Each structure stands twice: as structure tokens, then as C-alpha cells.
Amino acid sequence: MDYITTYKKVHFTPLDPRPEDILIEDIAHSLSLMTRANGHFPAFHSVAQHCIECCEEALARNFGTRTALACLLHDAGEAYLADITRPVKKHLTEYRSIEEGLLNAIFSKYLGGITQEEKNQVRLMDDTLLYYEFYHFMGEELMEKPFITQIPDFSELPFKTVENRYLELFHELYGKLNCGIELICAGNFTPHGHKIRGVLFDMDGLILDTEKLYTRFWQEAAHCLGYPMTKEQALGLRSMNHTEGEAKIKSYFGPDTPYLKIRSKRIELMDAFVEKEGVYLKPGIHELLDYLKKQGIRTAVATSSPMERTVKYLSSVHMENSFDAIVTAYMVEKGKPEPDIYIYAARMLELEPGDCLALEDSPSGLTAAYRAGCLPVMIPDQDQPSEETRKLLFAKADSLDLIPELIEQIGRQPSDTD
């Protein structure tokens, strides 16, 4: 067996760590139950407490958010490898190589890598707290007394209190660094070094704030015909092709459910609403398109809606000519969640799918982008990604105006941060 089973039930392979398998919840839980000094301190003091103290000392010294987060994570590899004392570890070349590779994977996921200066600052915090821990618990001075900004808290705390504090600090620092961007890098995706040449846009729920209308009118249409569709069931129909949509509805209400009648009623109700109320753009779309144009990055719409409706909606907000190409599911053999539409959209831009970000809000659209070989980025509209959906994602961004920062972030070569 080449894997361990983590607290969150992940089969984690320490010698070949995948970014999507590295979970901060696993790290916080494990480190909060793992004792410092191999259990030889007279009272329990966890590795997580040590990391928290290192992090807070870095913050007190104004070392910056990146260094503070690196301090919090600097022993994260122990969550997957346990620890070996320094006198022994220095003789284990292969172990140190494994440990370094794992820690680099963790730093790469959460920091995009770590600079030598940051490594030096982390080591300084690590050694500083090591001194004060041994002095407090063992009355032993391991080195010349180092400067410290704040008095460490060496009280014996419940592991759950420490675990929660570790997670709280992580999310506070990670949120400041990423400001709504999360690099997930599922599958074989690598976090950096991507030259983005195209961006492919879903339309409903991504460019236009219309996905909630589909959810509403799927429910209303079904209710009109005597089928009590819930919001969750309506959400499950997002961006699906006819075959998938029909199968989904029949799985809800039985094999005799009149899918076409429900669909026709949904179109009738929604068209009447849009005719009266119009459609609205999602925030940040104009700014994003301006950025992409300046960068020479090509754009295409890849939507499940028919061309007539697509052009009508985009024209109503004066965006029918804002993209280099418009592709609908009716132009390919199979719609979402099959990959055809994204493969064709990339081809229309004369690009490979792997050179394109695919911006989506729905699981079926993200599945299509993933299968096509694009870099799928979820911008949540009506719900957050499920565990299954996260396995498809290159990244998640809270809004469209964060995509320029994401492109800049992933465009950095690994050497820029090593």
C-alpha cells in the first residue's frame, strides 16, 4: 500500500503528493494531536501550537502575510510523515528529500512557492520558538538566547481549541493573500507556468445573471404540470444538454415524466419574464474583457443556449460583438457535460484547449471543460462547488474581476518563486 488515509478520508500518497489531496483540515487536525519533542516535554504541547506561535511571532515582527503563512505551514509535512528528531534526520538523506518534496508541494499549493528569504525567516522563527519551548518545559538552553517580540503561550490547551485556532489563522492569512482566489489544481493540473492565450466563457450565470431565472422557471414549469420540483433539483439541470436533462428529470419524477412539455413551459415562462424585465450583466465582465483585449488574449462564448437566444440576450446588453467567437451546444454533436463545445470553441480561436481558461458556474459545464482539457475555473453563482466538482477544478474565483489576478498568478514560472 502506497497511501495513508487521512482524517478527511483522503488516500494520500506521501511520495507523490497531488495538490487536490492536500487539505488544510487534515494538516490542522493531525498537527494539533501531534506532540513536540517526541512526547518528552512534561506537558502536552502540540506541533500545531508551535506553528501558531511561529506564525504569531512573524506577524509581531511585521514579516508580512506570506512569511506568517509559511511559518504556520512549515511543519505541515509532519501531518503526512510524522517527525524524526534532528540528530537522526541529518543522517537520512532520502527521508529529507521526501520531506522537502512534500513541503514544497504544500508551499506551492498555498503560496505558489517560497523564496529563499522567506525560508530564512521561517527558520529563524522555528529556532526561536524551539529555544523558548525547551527553556520553558525542560529548563534547557539549546543555543544563545534569541530575541523574541511577544511572550509565547505554552499553556496546555484542548486539541480542538488548537485545531480551530490553526484553521482560523490559516483562513485569515490565506484570504488576505488570495482575495477570493483559490488554486485547487485537481487532476494533473500544475499551479504555475501557464501561458493563457484564450478565455472561454459560459453565458448564463457567468456573463449574464440569468442562471437563477432558469432555476426559478424550471421549478414553476414543473409545478404547473404537477411535478413538485425543488430548487436543488432545478440546480441539477444547469447547462445540461437535452439528453442529460431529460434523464435527470425522469430520475426525479419517473420514466413517464413529459420532459419536453416541462421544458417548453419553462421557455415560455422565462421568455415572457425576460421580455418584460430584460437581463443583467454579472459584475466585472467589462473590466475583464478590457484586460484580456490589452493582453492579446482571445475570447469565446461557449453556451448551452441556442444561437438565437444567445445573440438576443447579448444584444440586449450591447455585448453581441464583445467576443472573438460565439459557440453554442447546437453547433456540436453533444452538449455539456460532454467536451465537444469547449474543444470546438478553442478551435474557433485557433488554440489548444490546454491554453484556455474555461469560466463556468455549473458542475456540468465544468465537467465539459475538464474533459476538453481546458483549465476549468469555477465562479460560483448559486452554490459553492461540491467535493465531486472540486475534483474537476483548476481554480475557483469569487468574481469575474479576480480573473486578471488569477492569470497573472498562474503565469509566473515556478522559478519565480523557488
Side-chain angles (χ1 to χ4, degrees):
M1 189 168 67
D2 294 328
Y3 65 83
I4 63 169
T5 301
T6 70
Y7 165 62
K8 298 299 287 184
K9 304 298 190 293
V10 173
H11 286 172
F12 188 91
T13 307
L15 272 64
D16 185 24
R18 299 185 305 171
E20 68 270 25
D21 290 341
I22 298 169
L23 301 180
I24 195 62
E25 295 83 1
D26 281 333
I27 292 168
H29 183 79
S30 176
L31 297 188
S32 67
L33 287 169
M34 191 176 295
T35 182
R36 289 281 285 170
N38 286 76
H40 292 289
F41 285 162
F44 183 79
H45 187 70
S46 69
V47 176
Q49 286 173 276
H50 167 77
C51 294
I52 289 168
E53 292 294 339
C54 289
C55 173
E56 292 182 338
E57 178 65 16
L59 289 171
R61 297 193 192 192
N62 295 315
F63 278 174
T65 303
R66 281 182 56 86
T67 296
L69 183 54
C71 285
L72 190 68
L73 295 170
H74 80 279
D75 280 337
E78 294 180 21
Y80 304 106
L81 297 178
D83 191 25
I84 295 176
T85 55
R86 288 190 185 187
V88 177
K89 188 187 296 186
K90 66 183 180 181
H91 298 290
L92 302 179
T93 305
E94 187 174 1
Y95 178 89
R96 294 203 312 274
S97 176
I98 294 168
E99 183 181 52
E100 182 179 3
L102 178 53
L103 193 55
N104 283 340
I106 293 168
F107 282 145
S108 181
K109 174 166 182 172
Y110 293 123
L111 287 163
I114 184 169
T115 67
Q116 188 57 53
E117 181 183 0
E118 288 165 343
K119 287 180 181 178
N120 293 340
Q121 290 175 325
V122 170
R123 185 59 183 257
L124 175 61
M125 296 299 92
D126 188 23
D127 286 344
T128 298
L129 268 298
L130 177 69
Y131 171 89
Y132 284 96
E133 286 167 354
F134 268 80
Y135 185 76
H136 174 82
F137 287 110
M138 310 294 275
E140 183 177 355
E141 296 186 64
L142 297 182
M143 61 194 82
E144 184 178 343
K145 184 177 182 179
F147 165 81
I148 196 164
T149 304
Q150 58 182 19
I151 300 172
D153 180 5
F154 293 132
S155 56
E156 192 169 352
L157 300 171
F159 90 89
K160 204 65 183 176
T161 300
V162 176
E163 180 181 355
N164 290 338
R165 177 56 180 155
Y166 189 100
L167 288 170
E168 180 184 88
L169 262 177
F170 171 84
H171 289 300
E172 177 186 337
L173 297 170
Y174 189 73
K176 285 181 181 178
L177 280 180
N178 292 277
C179 301
I181 297 171
E182 182 183 1
L183 279 177
I184 297 171
C185 300
N188 294 320
F189 295 126
T190 55
H192 298 286
H194 297 279
K195 174 65 175 175
I196 301 302
R197 302 177 62 201
V199 176
L200 312 178
F201 293 79
D202 178 41
M203 183 176 75
D204 294 298
L206 197 289
I207 298 171
L208 303 176
D209 195 12
T210 46
E211 197 67 73
K212 64 184 65 170
L213 300 181
Y214 283 93
T215 300
R216 170 183 168 181
F217 290 114
W218 269 121
Q219 287 183 266
E220 289 192 14
H223 279 263
C224 283
L225 294 169
Y227 297 93
M229 183 181 290
T230 65
K231 181 180 179 181
E232 289 69 28
Q233 289 172 329
L235 286 172
L237 295 167
R238 286 174 296 173
S239 297
M240 281 192 167
N241 62 46
H242 292 330
T243 302
E244 297 271 349
E246 183 172 9
K248 181 69 77 171
I249 281 186
K250 288 184 175 181
S251 75
Y252 295 155
F253 305 114
D256 297 327
T257 308
Y259 166 75
L260 291 178
K261 286 186 178 181
I262 297 174
R263 180 175 176 273
S264 295
K265 188 65 175 176
R266 187 266 296 163
I267 292 172
E268 174 193 331
L269 293 171
M270 185 166 166
D271 281 353
F273 179 89
V274 170
E275 194 67 37
K276 181 181 179 181
E277 302 291 339
V279 296
Y280 297 92
L281 289 170
K282 298 284 279 187
I285 183 63
H286 284 304
E287 293 80 2
L288 173 55
L289 289 172
D290 287 345
Y291 167 83
L292 297 175
K293 186 174 182 180
K294 289 176 183 176
Q295 298 297 316
I297 297 173
R298 308 203 71 201
T299 59
V301 175
T303 177
S304 295
S305 295
M307 182 63 80
E308 181 181 358
R309 186 187 305 150
T310 300
V311 172
K312 178 182 177 180
Y313 283 4
L314 291 176
S315 297
S316 72
V317 289
H318 311 292
M319 294 198 70
E320 70 274 21
N321 297 315
S322 297
F323 303 89
D324 295 306
I326 296 176
V327 177
T328 80
Y330 296 80
M331 299 165 67
V332 295
E333 182 178 351
K334 295 180 179 179
K336 302 172 186 178
E338 299 304 320
D340 305 31
I341 190 168
Y342 278 110
I343 293 171
Y344 188 61
R347 188 182 305 150
M348 290 283 285
L349 299 181
E350 300 181 336
L351 299 174
E352 293 296 322
D355 294 328
C356 301
L357 290 185
L359 308 184
E360 276 279 1
D361 68 291
S362 70
S364 59
L366 291 160
T367 301
Y370 179 85
R371 290 174 176 174
C374 299
L375 301 177
V377 178
M378 184 177 189
I379 301 177
D381 179 43
Q382 298 183 84
D383 55 0
Q384 294 295 319
S386 66
E387 286 190 25
E388 286 303 308
T389 300
R390 287 181 68 88
K391 295 176 182 177
L392 308 172
L393 299 185
F394 175 76
K396 181 174 80 75
D398 287 347
S399 57
L400 289 171
D401 58 5
L402 295 173
I403 298 303
E405 169 60 26
L406 174 63
I407 291 173
E408 298 291 334
Q409 189 177 135
I410 67 177
R412 296 200 309 264
Q413 295 297 321
S415 59
D416 294 343
T417 53
D418 286 348

